[in-house]
Amino acid sequence: MTENQKIKVCIGLSGGVDSSVAALLLKQQGYDVFALFMQNWHDASTTLHGDCEWEEDRFVAEMVARKIGIPFYFVDLSKEYRQRVVDYMFDEYEKGRTPNPDVLCNREIKFDAFLKCAEKLGADYVATGHYCRKETVQGPDGQTVHRILAGTDPNKDQSYFLCQLSQEQLSKAMFPIGDIVKPEVRRIAHEADLPSADKKDSQGICFVGKVDLPTFLQQKLKPCEGDIVEVYDAYYAENGQYAFIRETLASIMKEEGEVKMITDYVSEDKAVSVPVPGCPFSQEKIAALSDDDLLRLSLPVRYDIRFETETYRSGRKHIKKTRYKENPFGKIVGKHDGAQFYTIGQRKGLNVGGHKDSIFVIETDIPDNIIYVGEGHTHKGLSRSCLRIAPEEIHWIRRDLKMVPGEIRRYRVRIRYRQPLQDATAVMRDNGLYILFDTPQRGITPGQFAVWYDGDEMLGSGVI
């Protein structure tokens, strides 16, 4: 018996091509492999297709297991999924934050509830079809350390979704396709005649499917009509927070010059800033900023535009009517069904016409139920340069490389999946970890995860 044959691996078989090829490779490498399909969602009424997608997925997964020649098991984790992922989503949206259910699903379900179930069936490891790599090395202190590295395929790197895993969880994890590009995965599936070879990649919320988000959230969050307020450029000329950000950024630049405050627009998905030659800020000047200065620098501009009414007479009969007085800072341009159903940077679903360029959400005011919007990709309200992660939200995958208060490091950071890595300066203080980007970022969203890398290695993450 080979060493691999002594190792029992549970592959989380979803019915998709990625996990199918992962199962095939493990089998070919001689591991003792079995498949476990998990059902995490029952309510088909919330999906756009209105059918039970999981039933089709299970059918395909079972055919794949039979084709490869590995045992197939089924587990229902829908109760755990609702409690630990979906209820968290509802709670976050209610607070006006935008969660990432895929990150939570990996931390709470795949590498926790699912892992425990697999271990009860005798598994030594759990494998998934994620496009990322794992390395086990000896750390500086001589202890065993598990590293998460970006996937070889730059278009499919999924390390972001694993940003909340612990060393304990990683010690049980395997990622068989992390060093393979997607076209090669498809080729392997076709060559092996796997039933999932041509299956489309899943979309939407992890294990729920593609949903109309407002309809999905209305299961627990009640609609409530409110105003959509467009913010004009003039607002920023009078805003103290915007002036503070600009002046503070100017004060920490290596050389005098114009402060960049707006993201360079590349595409709807990426909104990438054009790279600059090196960091524009001085580490010594950043270190000299007080905790209060950094905290304020990380805060977004808040909007408080009040509209006064006036009466006027209209028509031949001079009927008395009421209208809002013109305001140089903004205008009420529509109505919405609830501020909690929208997120920073959102463009679709606003139903606001009469503009040359697209309209984007720049803030959601949950207490007053107001959505603030701006016109165009270069609107000042879409861009921010600094974010803060509260101390209790900081998660280090590499605990041996934790930053200590007062320390400053250079990392590459992303604030959403598929966003190319951005150069940034990480500043650790007693009141949190601050990430100062070399160039402004578009759509920094509370509730999402910021993830930092050193080269290809993902070191940690935190909730914005």
Side-chain angles (χ1 to χ4, degrees), residues 155 203 263-273 344-348 360 377 414-422 441-445 448:
N155 297 313
Q203 292 183 318
T263 308
D264 289 309
Y265 177 71
V266 172
S267 77
E268 193 67 33
D269 292 332
K270 298 176 182 176
V272 180
S273 298
I344 306 299
Q346 182 173 334
R347 175 175 62 88
K348 297 178 181 178
F360 297 90
H377 296 287
R414 59 167 51 106
I415 56 173
R416 65 180 68 87
Y417 173 54
R418 295 187 71 82
Q419 181 198 27
L421 290 168
Q422 307 290 299
Q441 299 298 299
R442 185 175 182 270
I444 292 178
T445 308
Q448 290 281 287

PDB file of all heavy atoms in Angstrom, residues 155 203 263-273 344-348 360 377 414-422 441-445 448:
ATOM      1  N   ASN A 155      -7.247  34.332 -13.854  1.00  0.00           N
ATOM      2  CA  ASN A 155      -8.655  34.665 -14.100  1.00  0.00           C
ATOM      3  C   ASN A 155      -9.612  33.932 -13.169  1.00  0.00           C
ATOM      4  O   ASN A 155     -10.806  34.255 -13.128  1.00  0.00           O
ATOM      5  CB  ASN A 155      -9.028  34.338 -15.549  1.00  0.00           C
ATOM      6  CG  ASN A 155      -8.254  35.168 -16.542  1.00  0.00           C
ATOM      7  OD1 ASN A 155      -8.140  36.387 -16.381  1.00  0.00           O
ATOM      8  ND2 ASN A 155      -7.705  34.532 -17.565  1.00  0.00           N
ATOM      9  N   GLN A 203     -23.652  30.397 -10.263  1.00  0.00           N
ATOM     10  CA  GLN A 203     -23.684  31.844 -10.052  1.00  0.00           C
ATOM     11  C   GLN A 203     -24.592  32.156  -8.875  1.00  0.00           C
ATOM     12  O   GLN A 203     -25.409  31.347  -8.462  1.00  0.00           O
ATOM     13  CB  GLN A 203     -24.203  32.565 -11.304  1.00  0.00           C
ATOM     14  CG  GLN A 203     -23.262  32.479 -12.496  1.00  0.00           C
ATOM     15  CD  GLN A 203     -23.781  33.271 -13.677  1.00  0.00           C
ATOM     16  OE1 GLN A 203     -24.961  33.253 -13.982  1.00  0.00           O
ATOM     17  NE2 GLN A 203     -22.896  33.983 -14.345  1.00  0.00           N
ATOM     18  N   THR A 263     -10.891  57.494  -8.469  1.00  0.00           N
ATOM     19  CA  THR A 263     -10.430  56.268  -9.100  1.00  0.00           C
ATOM     20  C   THR A 263     -10.446  56.389 -10.611  1.00  0.00           C
ATOM     21  O   THR A 263     -11.402  56.910 -11.184  1.00  0.00           O
ATOM     22  CB  THR A 263     -11.345  55.095  -8.705  1.00  0.00           C
ATOM     23  OG1 THR A 263     -11.453  55.064  -7.291  1.00  0.00           O
ATOM     24  CG2 THR A 263     -10.802  53.775  -9.208  1.00  0.00           C
ATOM     25  N   ASP A 264      -9.397  55.874 -11.256  1.00  0.00           N
ATOM     26  CA  ASP A 264      -9.408  55.761 -12.712  1.00  0.00           C
ATOM     27  C   ASP A 264     -10.314  54.597 -13.085  1.00  0.00           C
ATOM     28  O   ASP A 264     -10.127  53.477 -12.606  1.00  0.00           O
ATOM     29  CB  ASP A 264      -8.003  55.517 -13.263  1.00  0.00           C
ATOM     30  CG  ASP A 264      -7.133  56.751 -13.130  1.00  0.00           C
ATOM     31  OD1 ASP A 264      -7.579  57.826 -13.549  1.00  0.00           O
ATOM     32  OD2 ASP A 264      -6.023  56.622 -12.581  1.00  0.00           O
ATOM     33  N   TYR A 265     -11.291  54.857 -13.937  1.00  0.00           N
ATOM     34  CA  TYR A 265     -12.261  53.816 -14.308  1.00  0.00           C
ATOM     35  C   TYR A 265     -11.709  52.952 -15.432  1.00  0.00           C
ATOM     36  O   TYR A 265     -11.216  53.457 -16.426  1.00  0.00           O
ATOM     37  CB  TYR A 265     -13.576  54.462 -14.755  1.00  0.00           C
ATOM     38  CG  TYR A 265     -14.594  53.459 -15.228  1.00  0.00           C
ATOM     39  CD1 TYR A 265     -15.222  52.609 -14.337  1.00  0.00           C
ATOM     40  CD2 TYR A 265     -14.909  53.339 -16.583  1.00  0.00           C
ATOM     41  CE1 TYR A 265     -16.145  51.674 -14.749  1.00  0.00           C
ATOM     42  CE2 TYR A 265     -15.835  52.417 -17.020  1.00  0.00           C
ATOM     43  CZ  TYR A 265     -16.454  51.582 -16.101  1.00  0.00           C
ATOM     44  OH  TYR A 265     -17.371  50.660 -16.529  1.00  0.00           O
ATOM     45  N   VAL A 266     -11.769  51.615 -15.247  1.00  0.00           N
ATOM     46  CA  VAL A 266     -11.333  50.676 -16.279  1.00  0.00           C
ATOM     47  C   VAL A 266     -12.497  49.857 -16.799  1.00  0.00           C
ATOM     48  O   VAL A 266     -12.725  49.772 -17.990  1.00  0.00           O
ATOM     49  CB  VAL A 266     -10.216  49.753 -15.740  1.00  0.00           C
ATOM     50  CG1 VAL A 266      -9.907  48.648 -16.739  1.00  0.00           C
ATOM     51  CG2 VAL A 266      -8.963  50.554 -15.461  1.00  0.00           C
ATOM     52  N   SER A 267     -13.252  49.212 -15.895  1.00  0.00           N
ATOM     53  CA  SER A 267     -14.411  48.436 -16.317  1.00  0.00           C
ATOM     54  C   SER A 267     -15.391  48.335 -15.170  1.00  0.00           C
ATOM     55  O   SER A 267     -15.061  48.610 -14.021  1.00  0.00           O
ATOM     56  CB  SER A 267     -13.995  47.026 -16.762  1.00  0.00           C
ATOM     57  OG  SER A 267     -13.736  46.233 -15.628  1.00  0.00           O
ATOM     58  N   GLU A 268     -16.605  47.932 -15.489  1.00  0.00           N
ATOM     59  CA  GLU A 268     -17.660  47.818 -14.490  1.00  0.00           C
ATOM     60  C   GLU A 268     -17.271  46.861 -13.368  1.00  0.00           C
ATOM     61  O   GLU A 268     -17.554  47.097 -12.205  1.00  0.00           O
ATOM     62  CB  GLU A 268     -18.956  47.313 -15.167  1.00  0.00           C
ATOM     63  CG  GLU A 268     -20.197  47.450 -14.298  1.00  0.00           C
ATOM     64  CD  GLU A 268     -20.578  48.888 -14.041  1.00  0.00           C
ATOM     65  OE1 GLU A 268     -20.362  49.729 -14.927  1.00  0.00           O
ATOM     66  OE2 GLU A 268     -21.078  49.169 -12.959  1.00  0.00           O
ATOM     67  N   ASP A 269     -16.589  45.761 -13.726  1.00  0.00           N
ATOM     68  CA  ASP A 269     -16.234  44.752 -12.729  1.00  0.00           C
ATOM     69  C   ASP A 269     -15.007  45.149 -11.909  1.00  0.00           C
ATOM     70  O   ASP A 269     -14.938  44.881 -10.721  1.00  0.00           O
ATOM     71  CB  ASP A 269     -15.944  43.404 -13.413  1.00  0.00           C
ATOM     72  CG  ASP A 269     -17.194  42.805 -14.026  1.00  0.00           C
ATOM     73  OD1 ASP A 269     -18.273  43.089 -13.504  1.00  0.00           O
ATOM     74  OD2 ASP A 269     -17.066  42.078 -15.024  1.00  0.00           O
ATOM     75  N   LYS A 270     -14.035  45.777 -12.560  1.00  0.00           N
ATOM     76  CA  LYS A 270     -12.742  45.931 -11.911  1.00  0.00           C
ATOM     77  C   LYS A 270     -12.522  47.314 -11.294  1.00  0.00           C
ATOM     78  O   LYS A 270     -12.054  47.424 -10.181  1.00  0.00           O
ATOM     79  CB  LYS A 270     -11.629  45.601 -12.900  1.00  0.00           C
ATOM     80  CG  LYS A 270     -11.694  44.151 -13.381  1.00  0.00           C
ATOM     81  CD  LYS A 270     -10.629  43.889 -14.430  1.00  0.00           C
ATOM     82  CE  LYS A 270     -10.729  42.449 -14.942  1.00  0.00           C
ATOM     83  NZ  LYS A 270      -9.772  42.190 -16.019  1.00  0.00           N
ATOM     84  N   ALA A 271     -12.846  48.371 -12.027  1.00  0.00           N
ATOM     85  CA  ALA A 271     -12.612  49.730 -11.547  1.00  0.00           C
ATOM     86  C   ALA A 271     -11.199  49.871 -10.976  1.00  0.00           C
ATOM     87  O   ALA A 271     -10.990  50.278  -9.853  1.00  0.00           O
ATOM     88  CB  ALA A 271     -13.650  50.119 -10.503  1.00  0.00           C
ATOM     89  N   VAL A 272     -10.221  49.504 -11.772  1.00  0.00           N
ATOM     90  CA  VAL A 272      -8.840  49.450 -11.309  1.00  0.00           C
ATOM     91  C   VAL A 272      -8.169  50.808 -11.460  1.00  0.00           C
ATOM     92  O   VAL A 272      -8.367  51.512 -12.435  1.00  0.00           O
ATOM     93  CB  VAL A 272      -8.049  48.405 -12.129  1.00  0.00           C
ATOM     94  CG1 VAL A 272      -6.614  48.340 -11.669  1.00  0.00           C
ATOM     95  CG2 VAL A 272      -8.711  47.050 -12.007  1.00  0.00           C
ATOM     96  N   SER A 273      -7.393  51.158 -10.478  1.00  0.00           N
ATOM     97  CA  SER A 273      -6.601  52.368 -10.595  1.00  0.00           C
ATOM     98  C   SER A 273      -5.377  52.098 -11.458  1.00  0.00           C
ATOM     99  O   SER A 273      -4.782  51.028 -11.374  1.00  0.00           O
ATOM    100  CB  SER A 273      -6.160  52.848  -9.211  1.00  0.00           C
ATOM    101  OG  SER A 273      -7.266  53.171  -8.418  1.00  0.00           O
ATOM    102  N   ILE A 344     -23.211  50.105  -1.674  1.00  0.00           N
ATOM    103  CA  ILE A 344     -22.331  51.114  -2.247  1.00  0.00           C
ATOM    104  C   ILE A 344     -21.847  50.664  -3.628  1.00  0.00           C
ATOM    105  O   ILE A 344     -21.426  49.523  -3.806  1.00  0.00           O
ATOM    106  CB  ILE A 344     -21.108  51.372  -1.345  1.00  0.00           C
ATOM    107  CG1 ILE A 344     -21.535  51.716   0.092  1.00  0.00           C
ATOM    108  CG2 ILE A 344     -20.230  52.476  -1.931  1.00  0.00           C
ATOM    109  CD1 ILE A 344     -22.363  52.953   0.212  1.00  0.00           C
ATOM    110  N   GLY A 345     -21.915  51.565  -4.594  1.00  0.00           N
ATOM    111  CA  GLY A 345     -21.456  51.256  -5.945  1.00  0.00           C
ATOM    112  C   GLY A 345     -22.509  50.627  -6.834  1.00  0.00           C
ATOM    113  O   GLY A 345     -22.284  50.419  -8.035  1.00  0.00           O
ATOM    114  N   GLN A 346     -23.691  50.317  -6.274  1.00  0.00           N
ATOM    115  CA  GLN A 346     -24.749  49.678  -7.058  1.00  0.00           C
ATOM    116  C   GLN A 346     -25.276  50.618  -8.128  1.00  0.00           C
ATOM    117  O   GLN A 346     -25.457  51.804  -7.903  1.00  0.00           O
ATOM    118  CB  GLN A 346     -25.890  49.248  -6.133  1.00  0.00           C
ATOM    119  CG  GLN A 346     -27.031  48.522  -6.839  1.00  0.00           C
ATOM    120  CD  GLN A 346     -28.063  47.974  -5.859  1.00  0.00           C
ATOM    121  OE1 GLN A 346     -27.741  47.710  -4.707  1.00  0.00           O
ATOM    122  NE2 GLN A 346     -29.284  47.810  -6.316  1.00  0.00           N
ATOM    123  N   ARG A 347     -25.522  50.054  -9.307  1.00  0.00           N
ATOM    124  CA  ARG A 347     -26.037  50.846 -10.431  1.00  0.00           C
ATOM    125  C   ARG A 347     -27.427  50.398 -10.845  1.00  0.00           C
ATOM    126  O   ARG A 347     -28.279  51.222 -11.178  1.00  0.00           O
ATOM    127  CB  ARG A 347     -25.073  50.728 -11.615  1.00  0.00           C
ATOM    128  CG  ARG A 347     -25.528  51.405 -12.893  1.00  0.00           C
ATOM    129  CD  ARG A 347     -24.439  51.328 -13.938  1.00  0.00           C
ATOM    130  NE  ARG A 347     -24.104  49.969 -14.308  1.00  0.00           N
ATOM    131  CZ  ARG A 347     -24.722  49.276 -15.269  1.00  0.00           C
ATOM    132  NH1 ARG A 347     -25.723  49.819 -15.945  1.00  0.00           N
ATOM    133  NH2 ARG A 347     -24.343  48.047 -15.553  1.00  0.00           N
ATOM    134  N   LYS A 348     -27.671  49.084 -10.799  1.00  0.00           N
ATOM    135  CA  LYS A 348     -28.946  48.553 -11.281  1.00  0.00           C
ATOM    136  C   LYS A 348     -30.032  48.642 -10.216  1.00  0.00           C
ATOM    137  O   LYS A 348     -29.759  48.624  -9.020  1.00  0.00           O
ATOM    138  CB  LYS A 348     -28.763  47.095 -11.710  1.00  0.00           C
ATOM    139  CG  LYS A 348     -27.802  46.932 -12.882  1.00  0.00           C
ATOM    140  CD  LYS A 348     -27.618  45.469 -13.249  1.00  0.00           C
ATOM    141  CE  LYS A 348     -26.639  45.325 -14.416  1.00  0.00           C
ATOM    142  NZ  LYS A 348     -26.412  43.908 -14.773  1.00  0.00           N
ATOM    143  N   PHE A 360     -25.003  55.874  -9.546  1.00  0.00           N
ATOM    144  CA  PHE A 360     -24.461  54.892  -8.611  1.00  0.00           C
ATOM    145  C   PHE A 360     -24.822  55.258  -7.171  1.00  0.00           C
ATOM    146  O   PHE A 360     -24.868  56.442  -6.822  1.00  0.00           O
ATOM    147  CB  PHE A 360     -22.937  54.824  -8.725  1.00  0.00           C
ATOM    148  CG  PHE A 360     -22.440  54.369 -10.065  1.00  0.00           C
ATOM    149  CD1 PHE A 360     -22.175  55.286 -11.073  1.00  0.00           C
ATOM    150  CD2 PHE A 360     -22.252  53.017 -10.326  1.00  0.00           C
ATOM    151  CE1 PHE A 360     -21.714  54.874 -12.313  1.00  0.00           C
ATOM    152  CE2 PHE A 360     -21.789  52.591 -11.571  1.00  0.00           C
ATOM    153  CZ  PHE A 360     -21.528  53.521 -12.563  1.00  0.00           C
ATOM    154  N   HIS A 377     -18.985  57.524 -13.390  1.00  0.00           N
ATOM    155  CA  HIS A 377     -17.948  56.716 -12.759  1.00  0.00           C
ATOM    156  C   HIS A 377     -16.939  57.566 -11.984  1.00  0.00           C
ATOM    157  O   HIS A 377     -16.254  57.057 -11.095  1.00  0.00           O
ATOM    158  CB  HIS A 377     -17.201  55.912 -13.821  1.00  0.00           C
ATOM    159  CG  HIS A 377     -18.062  54.920 -14.535  1.00  0.00           C
ATOM    160  ND1 HIS A 377     -18.488  53.762 -13.937  1.00  0.00           N
ATOM    161  CD2 HIS A 377     -18.588  54.919 -15.791  1.00  0.00           C
ATOM    162  CE1 HIS A 377     -19.230  53.078 -14.787  1.00  0.00           C
ATOM    163  NE2 HIS A 377     -19.305  53.752 -15.916  1.00  0.00           N
ATOM    164  N   ARG A 414      -6.989  43.357  -1.938  1.00  0.00           N
ATOM    165  CA  ARG A 414      -8.206  43.444  -2.753  1.00  0.00           C
ATOM    166  C   ARG A 414      -9.398  43.575  -1.822  1.00  0.00           C
ATOM    167  O   ARG A 414      -9.414  43.026  -0.713  1.00  0.00           O
ATOM    168  CB  ARG A 414      -8.365  42.265  -3.701  1.00  0.00           C
ATOM    169  CG  ARG A 414      -8.440  40.885  -3.110  1.00  0.00           C
ATOM    170  CD  ARG A 414      -8.916  39.854  -4.179  1.00  0.00           C
ATOM    171  NE  ARG A 414      -8.178  39.914  -5.414  1.00  0.00           N
ATOM    172  CZ  ARG A 414      -7.259  39.008  -5.802  1.00  0.00           C
ATOM    173  NH1 ARG A 414      -6.981  37.971  -5.022  1.00  0.00           N
ATOM    174  NH2 ARG A 414      -6.645  39.118  -6.944  1.00  0.00           N
ATOM    175  N   ILE A 415     -10.412  44.299  -2.279  1.00  0.00           N
ATOM    176  CA  ILE A 415     -11.597  44.551  -1.459  1.00  0.00           C
ATOM    177  C   ILE A 415     -12.834  43.855  -2.023  1.00  0.00           C
ATOM    178  O   ILE A 415     -13.924  44.008  -1.483  1.00  0.00           O
ATOM    179  CB  ILE A 415     -11.875  46.065  -1.313  1.00  0.00           C
ATOM    180  CG1 ILE A 415     -12.013  46.735  -2.689  1.00  0.00           C
ATOM    181  CG2 ILE A 415     -10.780  46.734  -0.491  1.00  0.00           C
ATOM    182  CD1 ILE A 415     -12.457  48.186  -2.635  1.00  0.00           C
ATOM    183  N   ARG A 416     -12.640  43.099  -3.088  1.00  0.00           N
ATOM    184  CA  ARG A 416     -13.740  42.298  -3.649  1.00  0.00           C
ATOM    185  C   ARG A 416     -13.133  41.201  -4.526  1.00  0.00           C
ATOM    186  O   ARG A 416     -11.997  41.340  -5.008  1.00  0.00           O
ATOM    187  CB  ARG A 416     -14.728  43.151  -4.454  1.00  0.00           C
ATOM    188  CG  ARG A 416     -14.159  43.772  -5.696  1.00  0.00           C
ATOM    189  CD  ARG A 416     -15.203  44.614  -6.434  1.00  0.00           C
ATOM    190  NE  ARG A 416     -15.571  45.788  -5.675  1.00  0.00           N
ATOM    191  CZ  ARG A 416     -14.919  46.953  -5.718  1.00  0.00           C
ATOM    192  NH1 ARG A 416     -13.850  47.078  -6.494  1.00  0.00           N
ATOM    193  NH2 ARG A 416     -15.313  47.981  -5.020  1.00  0.00           N
ATOM    194  N   TYR A 417     -13.885  40.132  -4.698  1.00  0.00           N
ATOM    195  CA  TYR A 417     -13.412  39.033  -5.535  1.00  0.00           C
ATOM    196  C   TYR A 417     -13.218  39.522  -6.974  1.00  0.00           C
ATOM    197  O   TYR A 417     -13.991  40.334  -7.463  1.00  0.00           O
ATOM    198  CB  TYR A 417     -14.435  37.891  -5.505  1.00  0.00           C
ATOM    199  CG  TYR A 417     -14.137  36.762  -6.460  1.00  0.00           C
ATOM    200  CD1 TYR A 417     -12.908  36.115  -6.440  1.00  0.00           C
ATOM    201  CD2 TYR A 417     -15.089  36.345  -7.387  1.00  0.00           C
ATOM    202  CE1 TYR A 417     -12.621  35.085  -7.319  1.00  0.00           C
ATOM    203  CE2 TYR A 417     -14.825  35.303  -8.267  1.00  0.00           C
ATOM    204  CZ  TYR A 417     -13.585  34.688  -8.231  1.00  0.00           C
ATOM    205  OH  TYR A 417     -13.305  33.673  -9.112  1.00  0.00           O
ATOM    206  N   ARG A 418     -12.190  39.025  -7.600  1.00  0.00           N
ATOM    207  CA  ARG A 418     -11.822  39.306  -8.998  1.00  0.00           C
ATOM    208  C   ARG A 418     -11.208  40.685  -9.171  1.00  0.00           C
ATOM    209  O   ARG A 418     -10.773  41.034 -10.272  1.00  0.00           O
ATOM    210  CB  ARG A 418     -13.017  39.129  -9.965  1.00  0.00           C
ATOM    211  CG  ARG A 418     -13.502  37.692 -10.049  1.00  0.00           C
ATOM    212  CD  ARG A 418     -14.561  37.527 -11.123  1.00  0.00           C
ATOM    213  NE  ARG A 418     -13.985  37.633 -12.451  1.00  0.00           N
ATOM    214  CZ  ARG A 418     -13.377  36.646 -13.091  1.00  0.00           C
ATOM    215  NH1 ARG A 418     -13.240  35.470 -12.512  1.00  0.00           N
ATOM    216  NH2 ARG A 418     -12.905  36.812 -14.307  1.00  0.00           N
ATOM    217  N   GLN A 419     -11.124  41.491  -8.137  1.00  0.00           N
ATOM    218  CA  GLN A 419     -10.427  42.760  -8.273  1.00  0.00           C
ATOM    219  C   GLN A 419      -8.923  42.494  -8.314  1.00  0.00           C
ATOM    220  O   GLN A 419      -8.397  41.786  -7.452  1.00  0.00           O
ATOM    221  CB  GLN A 419     -10.729  43.690  -7.088  1.00  0.00           C
ATOM    222  CG  GLN A 419     -10.020  45.036  -7.221  1.00  0.00           C
ATOM    223  CD  GLN A 419      -9.937  45.787  -5.904  1.00  0.00           C
ATOM    224  OE1 GLN A 419      -9.936  45.189  -4.841  1.00  0.00           O
ATOM    225  NE2 GLN A 419      -9.868  47.106  -5.984  1.00  0.00           N
ATOM    226  N   PRO A 420      -8.225  43.006  -9.308  1.00  0.00           N
ATOM    227  CA  PRO A 420      -6.770  42.854  -9.308  1.00  0.00           C
ATOM    228  C   PRO A 420      -6.173  43.439  -8.028  1.00  0.00           C
ATOM    229  O   PRO A 420      -6.689  44.419  -7.480  1.00  0.00           O
ATOM    230  CB  PRO A 420      -6.325  43.658 -10.537  1.00  0.00           C
ATOM    231  CG  PRO A 420      -7.522  43.624 -11.450  1.00  0.00           C
ATOM    232  CD  PRO A 420      -8.706  43.687 -10.535  1.00  0.00           C
ATOM    233  N   LEU A 421      -5.098  42.839  -7.545  1.00  0.00           N
ATOM    234  CA  LEU A 421      -4.488  43.295  -6.295  1.00  0.00           C
ATOM    235  C   LEU A 421      -4.002  44.729  -6.413  1.00  0.00           C
ATOM    236  O   LEU A 421      -3.452  45.135  -7.444  1.00  0.00           O
ATOM    237  CB  LEU A 421      -3.332  42.365  -5.921  1.00  0.00           C
ATOM    238  CG  LEU A 421      -3.757  40.960  -5.488  1.00  0.00           C
ATOM    239  CD1 LEU A 421      -2.546  40.035  -5.419  1.00  0.00           C
ATOM    240  CD2 LEU A 421      -4.477  41.000  -4.149  1.00  0.00           C
ATOM    241  N   GLN A 422      -4.221  45.487  -5.337  1.00  0.00           N
ATOM    242  CA  GLN A 422      -3.883  46.903  -5.299  1.00  0.00           C
ATOM    243  C   GLN A 422      -2.754  47.146  -4.306  1.00  0.00           C
ATOM    244  O   GLN A 422      -2.751  46.578  -3.203  1.00  0.00           O
ATOM    245  CB  GLN A 422      -5.105  47.719  -4.881  1.00  0.00           C
ATOM    246  CG  GLN A 422      -6.351  47.467  -5.712  1.00  0.00           C
ATOM    247  CD  GLN A 422      -6.226  48.006  -7.112  1.00  0.00           C
ATOM    248  OE1 GLN A 422      -6.056  49.219  -7.311  1.00  0.00           O
ATOM    249  NE2 GLN A 422      -6.313  47.144  -8.113  1.00  0.00           N
ATOM    250  N   GLN A 441      -9.726  53.903  -4.291  1.00  0.00           N
ATOM    251  CA  GLN A 441     -10.469  52.702  -4.661  1.00  0.00           C
ATOM    252  C   GLN A 441     -11.951  53.018  -4.814  1.00  0.00           C
ATOM    253  O   GLN A 441     -12.523  53.794  -4.043  1.00  0.00           O
ATOM    254  CB  GLN A 441     -10.284  51.618  -3.603  1.00  0.00           C
ATOM    255  CG  GLN A 441      -8.847  51.196  -3.430  1.00  0.00           C
ATOM    256  CD  GLN A 441      -8.267  50.590  -4.691  1.00  0.00           C
ATOM    257  OE1 GLN A 441      -8.754  49.578  -5.177  1.00  0.00           O
ATOM    258  NE2 GLN A 441      -7.211  51.196  -5.227  1.00  0.00           N
ATOM    259  N   ARG A 442     -12.549  52.361  -5.773  1.00  0.00           N
ATOM    260  CA  ARG A 442     -13.956  52.607  -6.090  1.00  0.00           C
ATOM    261  C   ARG A 442     -14.849  51.641  -5.316  1.00  0.00           C
ATOM    262  O   ARG A 442     -14.635  50.441  -5.302  1.00  0.00           O
ATOM    263  CB  ARG A 442     -14.164  52.399  -7.590  1.00  0.00           C
ATOM    264  CG  ARG A 442     -15.525  52.730  -8.133  1.00  0.00           C
ATOM    265  CD  ARG A 442     -15.462  52.577  -9.654  1.00  0.00           C
ATOM    266  NE  ARG A 442     -16.713  52.917 -10.292  1.00  0.00           N
ATOM    267  CZ  ARG A 442     -17.679  52.065 -10.532  1.00  0.00           C
ATOM    268  NH1 ARG A 442     -17.556  50.802 -10.165  1.00  0.00           N
ATOM    269  NH2 ARG A 442     -18.794  52.441 -11.140  1.00  0.00           N
ATOM    270  N   GLY A 443     -15.860  52.173  -4.642  1.00  0.00           N
ATOM    271  CA  GLY A 443     -16.869  51.333  -4.020  1.00  0.00           C
ATOM    272  C   GLY A 443     -16.394  50.542  -2.813  1.00  0.00           C
ATOM    273  O   GLY A 443     -16.732  49.370  -2.673  1.00  0.00           O
ATOM    274  N   ILE A 444     -15.595  51.155  -1.924  1.00  0.00           N
ATOM    275  CA  ILE A 444     -15.247  50.494  -0.661  1.00  0.00           C
ATOM    276  C   ILE A 444     -16.536  50.329   0.133  1.00  0.00           C
ATOM    277  O   ILE A 444     -17.236  51.307   0.418  1.00  0.00           O
ATOM    278  CB  ILE A 444     -14.206  51.307   0.123  1.00  0.00           C
ATOM    279  CG1 ILE A 444     -12.859  51.290  -0.616  1.00  0.00           C
ATOM    280  CG2 ILE A 444     -14.050  50.766   1.540  1.00  0.00           C
ATOM    281  CD1 ILE A 444     -11.767  52.111   0.051  1.00  0.00           C
ATOM    282  N   THR A 445     -16.867  49.085   0.487  1.00  0.00           N
ATOM    283  CA  THR A 445     -18.199  48.775   1.000  1.00  0.00           C
ATOM    284  C   THR A 445     -18.149  48.171   2.392  1.00  0.00           C
ATOM    285  O   THR A 445     -17.541  47.111   2.591  1.00  0.00           O
ATOM    286  CB  THR A 445     -18.908  47.787   0.051  1.00  0.00           C
ATOM    287  OG1 THR A 445     -18.859  48.309  -1.284  1.00  0.00           O
ATOM    288  CG2 THR A 445     -20.351  47.573   0.458  1.00  0.00           C
ATOM    289  N   GLN A 448     -17.955  44.118   3.561  1.00  0.00           N
ATOM    290  CA  GLN A 448     -17.147  43.274   2.681  1.00  0.00           C
ATOM    291  C   GLN A 448     -15.791  42.983   3.344  1.00  0.00           C
ATOM    292  O   GLN A 448     -15.429  43.595   4.349  1.00  0.00           O
ATOM    293  CB  GLN A 448     -16.928  43.968   1.334  1.00  0.00           C
ATOM    294  CG  GLN A 448     -18.182  44.056   0.473  1.00  0.00           C
ATOM    295  CD  GLN A 448     -18.486  42.754  -0.241  1.00  0.00           C
ATOM    296  OE1 GLN A 448     -17.827  42.374  -1.186  1.00  0.00           O
ATOM    297  NE2 GLN A 448     -19.532  42.067   0.218  1.00  0.00           N
TER     298      GLN A 448
END
